[in-house]
Amino acid sequence: MRTPVQSFAVANLRRRPEAVATGGFVAGFDPATTSPFVNYATPLPGAEPTAADVAALVAAFRGRGLTPRLEFAPDSAPAVEPALRAAGFGTEAVHTYLVCEPGTLTVPPPSDAGFAVAVPTAEPEYTAIDAALAEAFTGESTASPEGAARLRRLQDGGGAVRYARTADGGCAGAASCSPPAVGTAEVAGIGTRPAFRCRGVGAAVTAAVAAAMFEQGAASVWLEYSGDDSRRVYERLGFTPQGTRLYLTLEE
């Protein structure tokens, strides 16, 4: 059975502090950040937007001083991509997504590389995780109190945040997973600080958040990978390719 990734994307954006439904799209906005990775839109499955629908969506972004941006599985709404292209949207990226189910998850053994997987509970831990992810994704994000607060809200709101705690109490890397919706959940923000790469950090924290979601009753979790090396890591954990997601942006 195909994982309902697009239905999940809609449900997940509706959780944003500001969710706007317009013309077959749902846009999710967080006033605490201008990050395009937080503020974006997605179509409803089967949507067939008109030019006016796309214009209204663009206006929702421009009115907030944000770049119009969408993430979606194109096979779930075949009419959407042509409508966006006609309005001038260009390709930012195309990613394959991988899916894992409870019966396929392979949890790696405890690491002997000097770290242990932990659940954050205190503010200094969330701050350290946010800083580690900013270091892991240099140029894509910066550490901030708002970033640490978002991680806390994710953990407290039914999602999962796990980090690799070093012997001195620091953070070697981390991963997070959204709360489940429509039977699935998205694993994201998997990052390892450069000094700790190639030690199994990414695999350990990814398996940990997936297991946490399965304990909550999720039928699957899914993620996107950034290269062949990471794909092989996720496949060893039990993730398999199932479809693609398209990222489109409308520049000035």
Side-chain angles (χ1 to χ4, degrees):
M1 182 179 68
R2 199 165 195 75
T3 301
V5 165
Q6 188 56 36
S7 295
F8 168 86
V10 171
N12 196 44
L13 283 182
R14 284 177 171 153
R15 296 167 170 160
R16 291 285 194 272
E18 292 183 15
V20 176
T22 178
F25 297 98
V26 172
F29 302 113
D30 186 342
T33 179
T34 59
S35 170
F37 306 111
V38 175
N39 298 285
Y40 60 91
T42 203
L44 300 176
E48 297 181 351
T50 65
D53 293 333
V54 175
L57 178 66
V58 169
F61 281 85
R62 299 294 193 210
R64 293 170 171 78
L66 300 170
T67 298
R69 182 175 181 273
L70 291 95
E71 300 181 7
F72 63 103
D75 62 354
S76 68
V80 169
E81 182 180 355
L84 295 173
R85 300 283 188 194
F89 279 79
T91 302
E92 175 186 314
V94 180
H95 292 163
T96 297
Y97 63 85
L98 309 178
V99 175
C100 182
E101 298 176 348
T104 65
L105 178 64
T106 300
V107 178
S111 173
D112 59 1
F115 70 85
V117 176
V119 181
T121 58
E123 296 306 320
E125 292 173 285
Y126 287 103
T127 298
I129 294 169
D130 185 54
L133 293 176
E135 183 180 345
F137 300 116
T138 302
E140 295 185 17
S141 65
T142 57
S144 68
E146 293 79 12
R150 279 193 295 275
L151 290 168
R152 182 65 182 253
R153 288 197 302 271
L154 184 66
Q155 174 67 29
D156 292 347
V161 178
R162 299 292 185 269
Y163 76 105
R165 183 174 58 204
T166 58
D168 62 2
C171 176
S176 61
C177 190
S178 66
V182 298
T184 192
E186 180 186 8
V187 181
I190 307 164
T192 304
R193 293 171 58 196
F196 294 92
R197 287 174 182 162
C198 301
R199 300 188 191 180
V201 170
V205 294
T206 300
V209 294
M213 291 299 98
F214 295 150
E215 289 173 3
Q216 291 188 34
S220 66
V221 296
W222 61 278
L223 55 76
E224 298 173 16
Y225 63 90
S226 58
D228 288 342
D229 288 344
S230 60
R231 175 183 57 79
R232 285 189 284 269
V233 169
Y234 302 139
E235 288 181 338
R236 286 195 293 270
L237 296 178
F239 286 80
T240 58
Q242 196 171 99
T244 60
R245 296 229 306 156
L246 179 61
Y247 292 65
L248 298 181
T249 303
L250 181 64
E251 300 296 346
E252 293 287 351

